[in-house]
């Protein structure tokens, strides 16, 4: 069965960077784009961007272009999102989700990122 | 970017009732519209894609309709497990923006 495994939580200091992971299993990793989505506490969903695992091609929401960098490691079927220059505004749950022609048919459990000194 | 506007923002209904949530796109997205359900503390789950195609395992009491700029999600005979938040999202070119969400609560 399709699974996307994400660490439950990360705690980082303001100004630092963090690299979130999403390990895929149960399907051919390189056959589906991967989305990343942000959700702040009590708020809605924001689409950050997507990556094609077969060739590394990316598309970003303009709002996150200077904040997020998407990469993949095909050898381990893992997608990554690096977030830089972290502030309290980056504290949120971050989801990876498999793309199916643009919609997201499988989601990870999400990583809760807390930015705090 | 395409803006997605959902209404209502919140909705109170009883078990057994029928409810409809609407979503409007700022420009023509044809039928590239998805609906998701999210329960408190959980990941979103895909309900409908391409405006009216039910995702695998979704009960038939859910139905999606619409095209162009106006869309709706209808839930017949509400069940206790249907309460939570619902989001629309267009999938017609990036960025794939979401609507603001509708919180469906028990009356």
């Amino acid at each position: 069965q399709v699974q996307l495994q994400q660490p439950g939580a990360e705690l980082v200091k303001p100004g630092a960077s963090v690299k979130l992971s999403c390990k895929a299993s149960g399907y051919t990793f390189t056959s589906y784009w991967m989305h990343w989505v942000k959700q702040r506490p009590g708020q809605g969903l924001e689409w950050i961007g997507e990556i094609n695992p077969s060739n590394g091609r990316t598309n970003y929401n303009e709002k996150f272009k200077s904040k997020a960098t998407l990469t993949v490691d095909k050898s381990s079927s893992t997608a990554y999102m690096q977030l830089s220059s972290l502030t309290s505004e980056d504290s949120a749950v971050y989801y990876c989700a498999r793309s199916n022609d643009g919609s997201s048919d499988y989601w990870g459990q999400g990583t809760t990122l807390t930015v705090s000194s | 970017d395409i803006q997605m506007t959902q209404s209502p923002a919140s909705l109170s209904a009883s078990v057994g009732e029928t409810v409809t949530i609407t979503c409007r796109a700022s420009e023509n997205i044809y039928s590239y519209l998805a609906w998701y359900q999210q329960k408190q503390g959980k990941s979103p789950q895909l309900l409908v894609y391409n405006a009216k195609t039910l995702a695998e395992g979704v009960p038939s009491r859910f139905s999606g309709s619409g095209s162009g700029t106006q869309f709706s999600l209808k839930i017949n005979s509400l069940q206790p497990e249907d309460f939570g938040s619902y989001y629309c999202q267009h999938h017609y070119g990036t960025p794939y923006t979401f609507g603001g969400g509708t919180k469906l609560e028990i009356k």
Side-chain angles (χ1 to χ4, degrees):
Chain A
Q1 70 284 20
V2 174
Q3 287 190 327
L4 300 174
Q5 291 180 284
Q6 299 183 254
E10 297 273 1
L11 172 62
V12 294
K13 295 188 185 318
S17 297
V18 68
K19 195 170 187 178
L20 306 182
S21 64
C22 170
K23 183 172 176 57
S25 61
Y27 71 99
T28 302
F29 179 63
T30 52
S31 295
Y32 296 83
W33 289 69
M34 188 73 79
H35 294 165
W36 288 86
V37 175
K38 177 183 181 180
Q39 186 171 39
R40 298 208 68 201
Q43 303 299 308
L45 304 168
E46 284 189 280
W47 187 82
I48 296 171
E50 63 176 357
I51 185 166
N52 183 337
S54 69
N55 58 19
R57 182 185 159 198
T58 54
N59 293 306
Y60 290 95
N61 182 336
E62 193 68 30
K63 176 180 177 181
F64 294 96
K65 262 190 174 176
S66 60
K67 173 63 64 178
T69 303
L70 306 182
T71 57
V72 296
D73 177 356
K74 288 190 283 189
S75 68
S76 63
S77 297
T78 303
Y80 296 95
M81 177 172 66
Q82 179 157 333
L83 299 171
S84 61
S85 303
L86 292 167
T87 73
S88 59
E89 295 296 303
D90 299 313
S91 292
V93 177
Y94 291 89
Y95 296 101
C96 62
R98 191 182 81 165
S99 176
N100 191 340
D101 194 25
S103 64
S104 297
D105 60 356
Y106 289 91
W107 295 65
Q109 291 302 106
T111 297
T112 300
L113 175 66
T114 302
V115 181
S116 174
S117 55
Chain B
D1 298 352
I2 298 172
Q3 305 304 313
M4 306 301 294
T5 304
Q6 251 181 273
S7 60
S10 63
L11 181 56
S12 182
S14 301
V15 172
E17 282 189 37
T18 294
V19 299
T20 299
I21 299 167
T22 64
C23 184
R24 186 180 80 247
S26 61
E27 60 186 80
N28 186 357
I29 59 169
Y30 301 91
S31 293
Y32 294 101
L33 192 282
W35 290 97
Y36 302 88
Q37 177 194 63
Q38 186 180 32
K39 297 180 183 178
Q40 187 67 34
K42 301 294 186 183
S43 308
Q45 290 194 319
L46 180 65
L47 295 174
V48 173
Y49 61 97
N50 290 343
K52 62 180 182 181
T53 304
L54 288 186
E56 188 177 343
V58 174
S60 58
R61 63 180 179 274
F62 290 90
S63 62
S65 63
S67 65
T69 62
Q70 299 280 353
F71 302 87
S72 62
L73 175 72
K74 184 178 180 181
I75 312 172
N76 288 313
S77 187
L78 274 171
Q79 299 299 300
E81 61 267 28
D82 298 337
F83 295 92
S85 294
Y86 290 82
Y87 296 90
C88 63
Q89 180 200 29
H90 81 81
H91 51 108
Y92 179 63
T94 60
Y96 299 128
T97 46
F98 291 91
T102 296
K103 189 170 185 178
L104 178 55
E105 298 177 313
I106 300 173
K107 184 183 287 184

